[in-house]
Amino acid sequence: MTNAQWFLLVGGLLLARGITSSMLKRLPVTPAIIYLAVGLLVGPMVLNVFHFNPLKESALLEVLTEVAVLISLFSAGIKMPVPVSFARWRTPILLASVSMAVSVGMVAAFAYYLLGLPLGAGVLLGAILAPTDPVLATDVQIRHPGDRDQLRFTLTCEAGMNDGSAFPFVMLGMGLLGLHELGEFGLRWALVDVLWATVAGITIGAISGAALGRLGWKLRGEPPEHKLMDDFLGLGLIGVVYGLSVLVDAWGFLAVFFAAVALRQTEIKLAGAGRDYPDRPRTYGIEPEAANASPDNEPPPTVSGGSLIFKEHLERLSELMLILLIGGTLFLDSWNWRAVGLALFLFIVARPVSVLASLLGTHTSWPIRGMVGWFGVRGIGSLYYLMYAIQHGLPEDLALELIQLTLIAVSLSILVHGTSVKPLMSRFWRHRKRLPTP
């Protein structure tokens, strides 16, 4: 496909997406399915006018997916409810840790015993496919900072954390393949890749986000005036936090998510609006309420609120581009029993079992457990981890195998979760549970 044809394709999709936005909202499918269908149509599976080789372009794809995930993590973080409480965060923390470990183990066992992959490759594959995706899971995520829906909060918060908590397992798989130093009895892996990188990432993010929140508040003056370039501030925070984390071997995905959480928590508390309103969601300058709402009741503008819309637009654009690339990667014979079988095992067995195991002993309702167990959307984060492993020396034969398995899992996730999200979520929301009040 020439550059001109590529511009025509992307430009046409963007125009169609903008013109038909109201109609697409009424369709029983998500926009991601449409992007994937277009990619499959123009790719080698049907018309073969475009083919993207992820092995050859792994460096480019690593950067693209990395940026997309970072923007999505920031957007998720600044929509977290204020204030942070253990009652709210307990379930997502269990999902991002216990469920993550169980899911990696189950996928690794499937890959080792049924697909014949080496143990290290199985662990790596489990780590690639275990995290849920903050980019493609828009329809099951918090919609605005005042959203108190317990299911959406759980899925959003889990996706925000498990893109970072998967990294230790990626390094474990690479270490078992001889691509990373684990240390004697795995001691270096436990101390550096698990303990240090996790704690340092969360600490860097929390301190940086809180610092920017306080600095931004002071610079706005009294009374606060919305004069700062919030989009630049948000992107700058992402860049500084992520860069600093990489320099000190901390998990940057965790750092960016918690930086966004700390930024919003700090700003809203400084604004004197740290109290939740169960009957009327607070939008903090992002989605104004009814036109007759009193402006005196609205909190002052914030960096987090002012930059959210821009980040979500970037998120949607990256979603379109990357799903097109996925569609342009797949051949007809990519849909073999190994890849499809693994994807079905992941959706029907590994995800539900890991969720149930992690939530044993909690007070999470069974309807929410069931919905969380089903909506483990896989996507852009999985592609990033795969490209990361390739760039760090994954052998070509294993890389090709994992590329096929991962892309089919992501594509099927787009299809099965994208067609089920609207009917299932609509049914659930009729009986939805509210977030517990701390």
Side-chain angles (χ1 to χ4, degrees):
M1 179 177 284
T2 64
N3 288 341
Q5 291 172 326
W6 180 250
F7 276 107
L8 283 172
L9 174 63
V10 175
L13 267 177
L14 290 173
L15 287 173
R17 178 70 175 89
I19 293 173
T20 63
S21 59
S22 58
M23 182 184 70
L24 289 176
K25 290 181 180 179
R26 298 192 295 269
L27 292 179
V29 298
T30 60
I33 293 181
I34 299 174
Y35 307 153
L36 180 62
V38 173
L40 293 173
L41 177 65
V42 301
M45 190 169 162
V46 183
L47 298 178
N48 198 25
V49 297
F50 166 69
H51 176 227
F52 183 78
N53 188 329
L55 183 61
K56 182 183 295 185
E57 304 292 343
S58 59
L60 171 64
L61 193 54
E62 181 187 10
V63 174
L64 293 177
T65 53
E66 190 174 25
V67 171
V69 172
L70 288 172
I71 292 173
S72 186
L73 290 173
F74 186 87
S75 298
I78 59 178
K79 288 185 284 189
M80 290 294 100
V82 177
V84 171
S85 68
F86 180 74
R88 288 174 174 168
W89 283 65
R90 182 187 180 192
T91 296
I93 289 173
L94 289 173
L95 291 172
S97 54
V98 178
S99 179
M100 167 71 65
V102 174
S103 181
V104 171
M106 294 182 70
V107 172
F110 185 94
Y112 180 75
Y113 289 108
L114 296 181
L115 301 183
L117 292 178
L119 180 60
V123 173
L124 177 59
L125 180 62
I128 288 171
L129 295 178
T132 55
D133 193 70
V135 181
L136 300 183
T138 306
D139 290 279
V140 294
Q141 287 192 359
I142 286 180
R143 306 234 176 130
H144 52 76
D147 191 341
R148 294 175 53 85
D149 186 88
Q150 185 179 357
L151 175 60
R152 284 198 291 257
F153 166 77
T154 299
L155 291 169
T156 306
C157 193
E158 179 200 7
M161 289 187 290
N162 70 13
D163 266 308
S165 62
F167 237 126
F169 296 102
V170 171
M171 307 313 292
L172 176 60
M174 293 176 60
L176 294 174
L177 290 171
L179 304 176
H180 179 69
E181 179 61 42
L182 298 178
E184 188 173 4
F185 303 112
L187 186 60
R188 183 192 182 280
W189 175 77
L191 293 179
V192 177
D193 296 330
V194 178
L195 185 60
W196 162 255
T198 301
V199 173
I202 294 173
T203 302
I204 290 171
I207 292 175
S208 300
L212 178 61
R214 292 185 177 278
L215 177 62
W217 183 259
K218 289 183 178 180
L219 292 178
R220 289 177 190 276
E222 286 290 343
E225 296 182 5
H226 191 57
K227 292 183 177 180
L228 295 182
M229 301 181 70
D230 294 331
D231 294 337
F232 281 14
L233 288 173
L235 291 174
L237 180 62
I238 293 174
V240 169
V241 167
Y242 190 67
L244 181 60
S245 299
V246 173
L247 286 177
V248 299
D249 294 324
W251 300 136
F253 285 172
L254 278 177
V256 168
F257 175 71
F258 280 98
V261 173
L263 170 63
R264 180 171 181 269
Q265 300 282 318
T266 301
E267 288 186 318
I268 299 306
K269 289 177 181 178
L270 288 173
R275 183 165 59 93
D276 278 332
Y277 294 79
D279 298 322
R280 187 170 66 94
R282 305 288 288 189
T283 59
Y284 305 105
I286 297 171
E287 293 178 1
E289 293 182 321
N292 59 357
S294 172
D296 295 334
N297 293 330
E298 290 300 315
T302 59
V303 174
S304 57
S307 64
L308 178 57
I309 294 177
F310 178 64
K311 304 297 184 300
E312 289 185 334
H313 290 168
L314 291 178
E315 191 178 1
R316 299 283 70 79
L317 180 60
S318 64
E319 175 189 16
L320 183 151
M321 296 291 294
L322 290 169
I323 295 178
L324 272 180
L325 295 181
I326 292 174
T329 299
L330 297 173
F331 292 84
L332 189 60
D333 59 3
S334 299
W335 302 81
N336 54 50
W337 73 266
R338 292 165 60 85
V340 175
L342 173 65
L344 295 178
F345 173 79
L346 177 66
F347 304 151
I348 300 174
V349 180
R351 171 66 178 181
V353 170
S354 66
V355 168
L356 293 178
S358 66
L359 299 183
L360 288 176
T362 69
H363 297 293
T364 307
S365 67
W366 283 102
I368 288 183
R369 295 187 199 199
M371 293 291 283
V372 171
W374 172 244
F375 285 114
V377 182
R378 267 60 184 181
I380 307 306
S382 296
L383 294 182
Y384 168 74
Y385 286 124
L386 177 56
M387 297 304 111
Y388 177 89
I390 292 174
Q391 284 296 296
H392 286 77
L394 187 66
E396 183 173 332
D397 56 338
L398 282 178
L400 290 172
E401 178 82 0
L402 297 190
I403 285 173
Q404 184 182 63
L405 294 172
T406 301
L407 290 180
I408 292 299
V410 171
S411 299
L412 281 178
S413 180
I414 292 171
L415 294 172
V416 300
H417 294 126
T419 53
S420 62
V421 60
K422 291 186 178 180
L424 287 180
M425 293 297 275
S426 296
R427 181 179 178 182
F428 174 82
W429 286 333
R430 287 197 292 267
H431 310 284
R432 66 182 179 176
K433 306 293 183 180
R434 303 294 270 179
L435 282 168
T437 302

